[in-house]
Amino acid sequence: MFRTSRKYLLLLLIFVFAFTYRMLLMHRATYPPGADIGLHQSVIYSITGSGTTNFLWNYYQMGGGLSLTFPGYHIFVSYIIMMTGMPAYMAHSVVVSLFSSLIVLCAYLIVRTLQGESAALIVAFLVAISRFDVEMLLWGGYPNTVTLMLIPLVFYLFFQRERFSLVPFLATTAILSGSIFLTHSLSAVIFILVTFLTAMLVMAFSKRIGVPRAHALVWFVPLFLGALLVSPFLIDSAPAYLSANVDTFTGGMADIRQALLSTRVLPLELVLPPLICVPFFFFFSKKYRKRFFTVPSLFLAMWILVPLLFTQTFLVGLYTDYNRFLYYTVLPVIIIIALGIDHGSGFFARIADTYLSFTKQLSQSAKNSKIATWLMPHLTRKNLYSSFVIGLLLVAFFAVPIFLTPSQGVTAQSFYQVMNDPEYEAIQWARQNTPAGSVFVSDALYGWWFSGFAQRPTLSAVDPQYLTLAREFEPAKTAKLLLDTDYMIDNGLIQIREDGGYIARHNPVIVAKLNWTYFPYSFLNFNNSETQVKYRISDSPMSITLDKLTVKEMHMENDSDHATITVTKGNNYFNYTELTTVYRGSRFVNISITLNAANGVSLDWLDFTVHSNGKVLAQQNNTIALLDGGVKAFSQLIFAKEQPNVDVVNPENPCIFELDYNLQGKTRGEIQFSATAYSVTDSLEYYQSPEVTADYFNKIIVDNLNTYQTKAPNSPVLDVFDYQKAVVDWNVSYIACRDSEIIPKFAGDPAFSLVFINDAVAVFMVKRGFE
């Protein structure tokens, strides 16, 4: 339907559009979006900046250590940077935008083989606006983008085996296969399995498919030759890869396994649509090739089925980021949509053309006759087909969620954008003004940029589901806690976090360990800025909140049985000491508070304002219980000795209540209470009515009153975090903080000194010897 020159001109325009669209989104905010670009740049610096190249070691990521990021992409980009001298982030965006746009051409070649030029141009346009391909660029999956281009190119060559002599075919496919093996491990696995399973099916049903078995047997040769080409790297990496990842993939790292199961398992509504596409490959094969089973139809079916099978491997005890497998199904799904648009447009064009041929002789008014005279010559089947194609493409563009409109592209770019000028300024400052090898700590997204572009070992606060190596878990956990709090105690039943005395926020916060997700849930929060001490000096009433007191001491003590956080604050009139203790095997946290007044000072009241999720479930003289029905979490405070006045300010979620302790004008006051928060049953029978719920939980409340000091035997060991110990253990030199809420935690602590600040980032240096 297109003359050759027009056809290739249109294909070129689609390719240019795809490349321009991607580059505009990548640099809409100057710097490419996403955090993974920092990882890739750290790999490049590790390859090019060291004396002897070691592809299995990253000097910057997560503080430095074993790296199993396959280096093919990074080797290529490092040469581009050296040859052109362009900024590193620009080199990344140009290279990946080019490879992503080349997928357009690969899709064109595949569909031209299946159904002709028109369908091939349709799929080229659809790939140009593919949401998944564009979003992979935006979050930084650069090596994966390269292999998503290489895989269909190799498959196309497999389809067209008879068009090439053996030596050029083997040489080309071997180099391309080796490039896949060297660039991305997950892609290599998918590529090998799809090729292997398709080849086995073709050899098993060669007569029905109509090709000799040798046709498929020869596909194994490029796999072998490609692996042979990169065998020095594969031989070195295979033992390290298997030993370092076995715990992660098989669930040996419980935290990573639970985080993956909590966040990365795909719902059926994402798995079923690609699966539904599979039969249509065989239907179209029957329609256009007179056989249900052909080499392309089997390849395309396996191309979807293998990744979808991997999305369910958690059922057999294999754990990874299951979302990543969906990217491999996108191109075959787009191919089936393109085939459907081409077939549907041809079908409707034939119907319309037939109808017009029967009605063109009908009598019309004079006016209509002129219109008909002008219009009818243009209503050819070719033009009708083109009109239906354009209409269906517009429907797909705006209605099908796997395609990305410009406005949606801008929204996605804004969502993934990490870097701006002030943040990049801080990176450049660190690179120029801090000693090489200085260990930084930063948040997950900024930390990856920092490690790559500042060339400094960086602990990034990455959530476990995004980690691929077991060695990365502890530095990520340390960074996450260091940027959040000063002390943490977790006994497997309950967790508390204490921000210490330099910031009024979590002082402490009681965190529930939910049974349906890895991530803990903050339930009860005490805030120093809302805890007030009322006292008298020579009968003159005074009051002050705890955040206004000077920190005199902070430390943690722990042994095999319990851990205690001690925070002492005071002024010239009294000292306030809070001890927060968590025992091994106990659901309850014990909080003990002592106030000691100077001579001539009388202590009158200690008033807490407590913020809580959930709503008040029960309130008695010596306890208050709360329930968050949304997450099925329960909390209870028990006042064992001193009984406060409890005033519920807001009984609904989020609940606010006040605890007012009468200190009776004495010079010393002692207060003690226990608190808990934990998951409860999600059985709906206990939430049918307020009466049923109250009856069920009243039994739990009474049981807790009788057993809150009981410790369960054979309990997990305590997991503790002490920020002073952490910075020493990990040799932390600097903290790069982007969270304005957390900056005061470091700014007020004499263990840190501010060395750089702008509108976006504050960098604090750790003072040695403070511990």
Side-chain angles (χ1 to χ4, degrees):
M1 292 189 176
F2 295 88
R3 286 185 293 180
T4 303
S5 58
R6 285 186 176 183
K7 171 189 67 178
Y8 289 122
L9 177 61
L10 183 55
L11 180 61
L12 178 62
L13 289 175
I14 294 173
F15 172 79
V16 172
F17 163 74
F19 181 78
T20 305
Y21 185 34
R22 284 152 174 75
M23 284 295 292
L24 288 174
L25 287 178
M26 290 284 279
H27 290 283
R28 180 173 173 269
T30 304
Y31 304 96
D36 283 36
I37 185 174
L39 165 64
H40 304 311
Q41 190 60 26
S42 71
V43 173
I44 289 174
Y45 280 135
S46 296
I47 292 172
T48 61
S50 58
T52 302
T53 299
N54 184 354
F55 293 122
L56 302 180
W57 196 265
N58 190 318
Y59 294 93
Y60 310 107
Q61 184 73 5
M62 284 300 178
L66 180 68
S67 171
L68 296 180
T69 302
F70 281 30
Y73 164 80
H74 310 91
I75 295 170
F76 183 83
V77 174
S78 66
Y79 278 106
I80 298 297
I81 294 172
M82 287 188 289
M83 288 189 296
T84 64
M86 71 173 69
Y89 63 81
M90 179 63 73
H92 283 286
S93 61
V94 170
V95 169
V96 296
S97 295
L98 176 62
F99 275 97
S100 181
S101 302
L102 288 173
I103 300 175
V104 169
L105 304 183
C106 296
Y108 169 86
L109 292 172
I110 289 175
V111 175
R112 188 179 66 174
T113 302
L114 298 176
Q115 199 162 319
E117 297 289 350
S118 299
L121 290 170
I122 292 171
V123 80
F125 175 75
L126 292 178
V127 171
I129 58 172
S130 166
R131 173 186 295 272
F132 284 82
D133 290 325
V134 173
E135 285 199 354
M136 179 170 281
L137 300 186
L138 298 182
W139 62 255
Y142 299 164
N144 207 165
T145 296
V146 173
T147 55
L148 286 177
M149 188 282 293
L150 294 175
I151 289 173
L153 181 56
V154 177
F155 287 167
Y156 167 74
L157 295 175
F158 286 169
F159 296 167
Q160 298 293 298
R161 162 66 189 89
E162 64 279 358
R163 294 185 59 185
F164 304 95
S165 58
L166 185 61
V167 173
F169 172 79
L170 292 179
T172 304
T173 53
I175 292 172
L176 294 174
S177 299
S179 300
I180 295 171
F181 300 154
L182 189 62
T183 301
H184 196 250
S185 58
L186 187 61
S187 297
V189 172
I190 297 296
F191 170 65
I192 291 171
L193 286 177
V194 171
T195 303
F196 176 81
L197 292 175
T198 306
M200 297 302 293
L201 289 172
V202 170
M203 289 189 291
F205 302 100
S206 60
K207 292 183 179 180
R208 176 172 293 186
I209 296 171
V211 296
R213 292 179 179 177
H215 183 91
L217 192 61
V218 76
W219 298 341
F220 292 109
V221 179
L223 302 186
F224 173 77
L225 294 177
L228 190 63
L229 286 173
V230 296
S231 58
F233 170 75
L234 295 179
I235 291 171
D236 286 342
S237 64
Y241 196 88
L242 294 175
S243 63
N245 278 348
V246 65
D247 284 341
T248 305
F249 288 145
T250 60
M253 286 292 298
D255 292 87
I256 295 178
R257 180 188 73 243
Q258 293 168 9
L260 285 169
L261 293 177
S262 297
T263 61
R264 311 306 285 176
V265 174
L266 295 175
L268 282 178
E269 54 264 29
L270 291 181
V271 176
L272 288 179
L275 189 62
I276 293 172
C277 292
V278 172
F280 288 95
F281 291 122
F282 302 110
F283 296 153
F284 281 116
S285 179
K286 178 65 174 178
K287 171 69 176 177
Y288 293 99
R289 294 199 164 202
K290 311 304 180 185
R291 294 174 184 267
F292 282 111
F293 300 104
T294 59
V295 170
S297 65
L298 288 174
F299 250 118
L300 290 166
M302 291 299 105
W303 200 345
I304 287 181
L305 292 175
V306 169
L308 288 185
L309 183 64
F310 272 95
T311 66
Q312 307 302 307
T313 51
F314 64 91
L315 297 173
V316 294
L318 294 177
Y319 305 96
T320 187
D321 185 351
Y322 307 104
N323 287 264
R324 299 288 292 272
F325 294 107
L326 280 184
Y327 289 99
Y328 297 97
T329 69
V330 172
L331 183 55
V333 169
I334 291 177
I335 287 173
I336 207 67
I337 292 173
L339 296 179
I341 290 175
D342 176 67
H343 179 76
S345 298
F347 174 76
F348 291 124
R350 286 194 300 273
I351 292 178
D353 185 54
T354 302
Y355 173 78
L356 289 173
S357 66
F358 280 111
T359 59
K360 63 182 179 180
Q361 301 298 328
L362 295 177
S363 59
Q364 300 175 355
S365 65
K367 182 178 180 181
N368 287 338
S369 296
K370 292 180 180 180
I371 295 175
T373 301
W374 174 83
L375 187 61
M376 289 301 292
H378 298 282
L379 293 179
T380 63
R381 182 174 296 188
K382 174 183 175 181
N383 290 340
L384 289 169
Y385 168 84
S386 299
S387 299
F388 281 117
V389 166
I390 293 172
L392 291 175
L393 283 176
L394 289 174
V395 171
F397 188 36
F398 291 105
V400 180
I402 66 171
F403 302 115
L404 198 68
T405 65
S407 62
Q408 292 169 338
V410 170
T411 301
Q413 175 272 325
S414 300
F415 175 80
Y416 289 110
Q417 190 65 40
V418 174
M419 192 55 53
N420 56 36
D421 285 335
E423 292 170 349
Y424 197 74
E425 177 192 9
I427 288 175
Q428 294 298 93
W429 177 90
R431 183 174 178 178
Q432 298 167 6
N433 296 279
T434 62
S438 300
V439 178
F440 277 74
V441 170
S442 193
D443 61 86
L445 303 178
Y446 192 53
W448 283 31
W449 268 86
F450 220 97
S451 65
F453 288 89
Q455 296 182 47
R456 295 295 181 269
T458 305
L459 311 185
S460 303
V462 181
D463 285 333
Q465 66 269 27
Y466 300 113
L467 302 176
T468 56
L469 295 176
R471 79 151 185 96
E472 296 174 333
F473 175 73
E474 287 300 329
K477 178 182 176 182
T478 298
K480 195 171 184 65
L481 288 170
L482 192 56
L483 290 170
D484 177 68
T485 191
D486 281 351
Y487 304 100
M488 185 277 297
I489 309 173
D490 189 332
N491 66 359
L493 300 173
I494 192 170
Q495 182 185 115
I496 65 100
R497 300 189 181 200
E498 169 61 66
D499 286 349
Y502 298 107
I503 181 174
R505 195 179 59 133
H506 302 323
N507 312 110
V509 59
I510 313 298
V511 182
K513 306 276 286 186
L514 302 181
N515 56 19
W516 53 270
T517 180
Y518 167 79
F519 299 95
Y521 181 67
S522 298
F523 205 113
L524 290 171
N525 188 61
F526 296 80
N527 188 320
N528 279 347
S529 66
E530 298 184 76
T531 300
Q532 186 177 53
V533 179
K534 296 178 180 179
Y535 59 101
R536 284 174 291 117
I537 304 174
S538 301
D539 293 329
S540 297
M542 308 286 288
S543 67
I544 190 171
T545 54
L546 296 185
D547 62 311
K548 301 299 192 297
L549 299 177
T550 301
V551 177
K552 296 190 173 182
E553 181 186 14
M554 291 195 321
H555 68 272
M556 174 189 283
E557 298 175 349
N558 65 285
D559 56 29
S560 60
D561 178 64
H562 70 280
T564 299
I565 301 167
T566 300
V567 179
T568 299
K569 306 186 75 173
N571 56 18
N572 294 331
Y573 307 109
F574 68 89
N575 286 333
Y576 175 97
T577 301
E578 180 179 288
L579 279 69
T580 305
T581 303
V582 176
Y583 288 90
R584 184 176 175 182
S586 175
R587 284 189 182 275
F588 280 81
V589 177
N590 293 332
I591 299 177
S592 300
I593 298 167
T594 302
L595 295 95
N596 290 300
N599 291 333
V601 177
S602 301
L603 301 170
D604 291 330
W605 290 91
L606 175 60
D607 301 333
F608 296 95
T609 298
V610 184
H611 291 260
S612 169
N613 289 306
K615 60 182 181 179
V616 175
L617 186 64
Q619 181 180 344
Q620 302 172 13
N621 289 334
N622 60 345
T623 190
I624 181 172
L626 305 103
L627 176 68
D628 189 335
V631 299
K632 302 299 183 289
F634 169 83
S635 178
Q636 186 174 357
L637 286 84
I638 297 175
F639 313 110
K641 296 180 180 180
E642 305 78 9
Q643 306 299 312
N645 298 325
V646 180
D647 180 19
V648 179
V649 179
N650 178 32
E652 298 298 322
N653 191 355
C655 176
I656 303 173
F657 59 94
E658 296 178 350
L659 305 177
D660 300 330
Y661 284 90
N662 187 349
L663 303 179
Q664 302 175 353
K666 297 180 181 180
T667 59
R668 178 179 174 85
E670 292 185 359
I671 294 168
Q672 183 176 339
F673 60 89
S674 299
T676 189
Y678 55 88
S679 272
V680 289
T681 180
D682 59 358
S683 178
L684 295 180
E685 63 178 296
Y686 298 110
Y687 303 95
Q688 292 177 352
S689 68
E691 293 76 18
V692 171
T693 302
D695 181 64
Y696 174 76
F697 282 100
N698 280 338
K699 298 174 185 178
I700 295 176
I701 293 169
V702 172
D703 184 62
N704 284 338
L705 287 170
N706 295 327
T707 63
Y708 74 95
Q709 292 182 321
T710 303
K711 293 184 288 185
N714 302 320
S715 301
V717 297
L718 295 175
D719 180 16
V720 301
F721 172 79
D722 180 339
Y723 82 106
Q724 295 176 332
K725 185 175 185 300
V727 295
V728 174
D729 290 347
W730 291 95
N731 195 31
V732 175
S733 300
Y734 297 91
I735 311 288
C737 182
R738 296 194 301 164
D739 189 344
S740 58
E741 183 184 29
I742 298 298
I743 287 176
K745 182 174 88 76
F746 299 106
D749 194 327
F752 305 93
S753 61
L754 180 66
V755 292
F756 175 89
I757 190 168
N758 61 19
D759 294 339
V761 184
V763 179
F764 296 91
M765 183 178 68
V766 179
K767 295 180 181 178
R768 292 304 171 194
F770 76 91
E771 65 277 2

